[in-house]
Each structure stands twice: as C-alpha cells, then as structure tokens.
Amino acid sequence: MKNTTRNYLMMGLVIVAVLGLSVFNRSRSHSLAAGLPDDSVIGKGKPVVIQFGAHWCPPCRKQLPVMIELAKEQTAFQTAFLDVDEHPQTARDNNIGPIPTLIFFDGDGNELDRHTGFYPKDSILTKWKELGVDATSL
C-alpha cells in the first residue's frame, strides 16, 4: 500500500471516530435531558433553575449532569432543561444569547437571577442561598 493511500485511510478513520464520539455525546445528552422537565414548571409554586442550552454545545453537556445531580438531591427547588434549538421562540422570549444560560425563577415565575456559562453545583447552591432559598444539599 502506498504511503498516501495509507495516510488517507488513517485520516478517514480519525474522522469517523470523531464523528462517532460526537453522535454518542449528543445522544447521551438527550437521554440525560429527558430526565428533567422543561420550562412548563416555571411559576408552579416552587423555585426553579432552568438551563437553556443545546445538545451540540460542549459546555451545555458539561452542565447537564450538574443539573441532574441537583434534581436528585434537592427538594427546595426544581431544575429544568430547555433546548434552544427545539424551542427558539421560548429562547427569544427569555433573551437567551450565549449558552448555557441558567435562569433562576421564584415560585411565581419571576426571574431572580441568571448566569451564562458553566456554573458549578456549589455556586448554584450558593446563589439560591443568596436569593433566600434554603438549598442545602442532602
């Protein structure tokens, strides 16, 4: 086999591997997000932090497991996820620019605060405390 043919084959294999990893990460993100409600929980009597993001976005995929963990541990507030590609009007209504954007809402649906970019679990809990919600991890 000529060197150029071998090089093309190796480059092709690398491309296929990268694309496969990307598809795997997106499907994992979809299944994680399926465990969280969408924006329908806003204003239903309980505070909520909602992650506006997309499944193709690496920082959004990094944020999603944090949101799942909080959902399992917390009773003081809810966590939710909304895909901005699937719900562009809702994203526009909430003035979402860069993603991920986390918006904190009170139980009546009033926006209390927002953060753009990855937000660690401890920072989210600290923010809730600053906003008057006792969100101590169990």
Side-chain angles (χ1 to χ4, degrees):
M1 192 180 315
K2 292 184 179 181
N3 281 339
T4 55
T5 303
R6 186 175 50 214
N7 289 343
Y8 284 127
L9 284 173
M10 292 301 290
M11 194 172 8
L13 287 172
V14 168
I15 291 170
V16 167
V18 168
L19 289 174
L21 185 58
S22 175
V23 168
F24 172 76
N25 281 336
R26 286 185 189 181
S27 67
R28 182 175 178 269
S29 176
H30 279 279
S31 59
L32 283 175
L36 292 176
D38 59 16
D39 63 324
S40 63
V41 296
I42 296 172
K44 302 289 186 191
K46 192 174 218 180
V48 62
V49 58
I50 183 166
Q51 175 188 340
F52 290 84
H55 297 291
W56 54 262
C57 163
C60 300
R61 289 195 309 257
K62 183 179 176 184
Q63 184 71 56
L64 201 49
V66 173
M67 302 297 281
I68 296 291
E69 188 176 336
L70 287 168
K72 290 177 181 176
E73 294 178 356
Q74 292 301 313
T75 58
F77 64 89
Q78 288 186 287
T79 62
F81 176 83
L82 188 99
D83 188 309
V84 297
D85 290 336
E86 295 173 11
H87 304 278
Q89 187 58 51
T90 305
R92 281 191 295 277
D93 293 346
N94 285 280
N95 299 313
I96 302 301
I99 54 174
T101 294
L102 277 65
I103 302 181
F104 296 77
F105 293 95
D106 67 14
D108 295 324
N110 301 306
E111 182 176 330
L112 301 173
D113 199 65
R114 67 172 55 207
H115 176 86
T116 300
F118 177 76
Y119 212 25
K121 177 183 168 184
D122 291 343
S123 298
I124 293 171
L125 294 172
T126 299
K127 178 54 67 179
W128 276 122
K129 187 174 182 178
E130 290 171 7
L131 296 171
V133 175
D134 181 15
T136 307
S137 284
L138 302 174

